Amino acid sequence: METELQALLNRSAVKVYDSTYKIEKSELEEILTFANRAPSAWNLQHWHFLAITSDEAKEKLLPIAYNQKQITESSVTIVVLGDKQANLNVETIYGSAVENGEITEDIKNMVQKQVEAVYQNQNYAYEAAVMNATFPAMQIMNAATIKGLGTCAIGGFNRTQLEEAFQIDERFVPLMLITIGKTLKDPRTSTRRPLSEVVTYH
Ligand SMILES: Cc1cc2nc3c(=O)[nH]c(=O)nc-3n(C[C@H](O)[C@H](O)[C@H](O)COP(=O)(O)O)c2cc1C
């Protein structure tokens, strides 16, 4: 049996899926639970996911993703959104941490002040949305891969059309789509530059 690390090492972008395969909701939620465990700055959890599962929603998404047929042939596409107003999450996240006795009210207030200060800067808010939401995106791919499913990250889609078609609040920035399904055709393997080119030791 392939180890989890080997499975991740062997992952490739899947383009051809078995369109008859339907992922169980419980399995999808296991993957999303894993994604939702991703780390984030101040634990603000700068993400929201749209799970595109119905035939109707897939047909709507298809032209927006430039007719890449993996949208309709995979079992589900997750639209990963980054949250530009993750500062608004402090109350919920830190409020329950106070209630659970994990932190004091003073710590919550201190964090709230720090977060509100950095969120005055719009560039920070945008960069934080993009940076933090890439972590759950990769978690989705890793969890699905370990479960033996195929995935592909898709950046080729029209942001404006996506926002309109799925009525995405302007609070969110659409980062990428991730298709998940049963691999029908093994994808081409891809090469990587050697570590000597991508790592500098100091
Ligand atoms: C941000 C991002 C955007 C991508 N967009 C697309 C896409 O629009 N269509 C597609 O078929 N593959 C897309 N890919 C998949 C890449 O082409 C693929 O990951 C890369 O060639 C490396 O191959 P591998 O994933 O099989 O190792 C995207 C990957 C990433 C990370």
Side-chain angles (χ1 to χ4, degrees), residues 11-13 15 68 70 152-156 176 188-190 192:
R11 181 211 56 79
S12 285
K15 309 290 168 84
Q68 298 189 62
Q70 18 160 337
C152 184
I154 297 186
M176 72 188 86
R188 267 182 296 148
T189 51
S190 56
R192 292 295 185 273

Side-chain angles (χ1 to χ4, degrees), residues 25-156:
K25 185 154 186 223
S26 57
E27 189 158 36
L28 176 58
E29 295 211 327
E30 255 186 272
I31 292 169
L32 293 173
T33 299
F34 192 73
N36 200 33
R37 282 291 304 156
S40 57
W42 280 294
N43 192 26
L44 294 182
Q45 303 165 36
H46 316 53
W47 48 77
H48 190 86
F49 310 119
L50 306 185
I52 308 295
T53 55
S54 71
D55 288 344
E56 190 195 348
K58 288 179 185 179
E59 289 298 338
K60 192 153 81 167
L61 183 57
L62 183 65
I64 296 171
Y66 307 118
N67 294 312
Q68 298 189 62
K69 61 183 175 38
Q70 18 160 337
I71 298 290
T72 42
E73 291 181 352
S74 64
S75 183
V76 54
T77 298
I78 307 296
V79 181
V80 180
L81 306 175
D83 186 356
K84 289 179 284 183
Q85 294 177 19
N87 51 316
L88 302 182
N89 298 342
V90 170
E91 198 52 51
T92 325
I93 295 164
Y94 283 80
S96 61
V98 171
E99 254 173 49
N100 298 340
E102 289 163 18
I103 59 165
T104 62
E105 188 77 33
D106 281 353
I107 290 180
K108 177 186 159 216
N109 292 338
M110 187 191 73
V111 169
Q112 186 119 44
K113 275 205 192 104
Q114 291 172 345
V115 169
E116 286 311 328
V118 293
Y119 272 82
Q120 298 300 312
N121 179 338
Q122 297 290 304
N123 286 342
Y124 175 84
Y126 178 82
E127 282 173 15
V130 173
M131 175 167 57
N132 288 281
T134 55
F135 286 86
M138 195 69 233
Q139 297 263 90
I140 290 172
M141 296 183 67
N142 287 344
T145 302
I146 288 167
K147 284 175 154 296
L149 294 167
T151 63
C152 184
I154 297 186

Side-chain angles (χ1 to χ4, degrees), residues 9 192-201:
L9 205 52
R192 292 295 185 273
R193 291 172 292 159
L195 282 192
S196 57
E197 271 184 36
V198 300
V199 181
T200 305
Y201 289 98

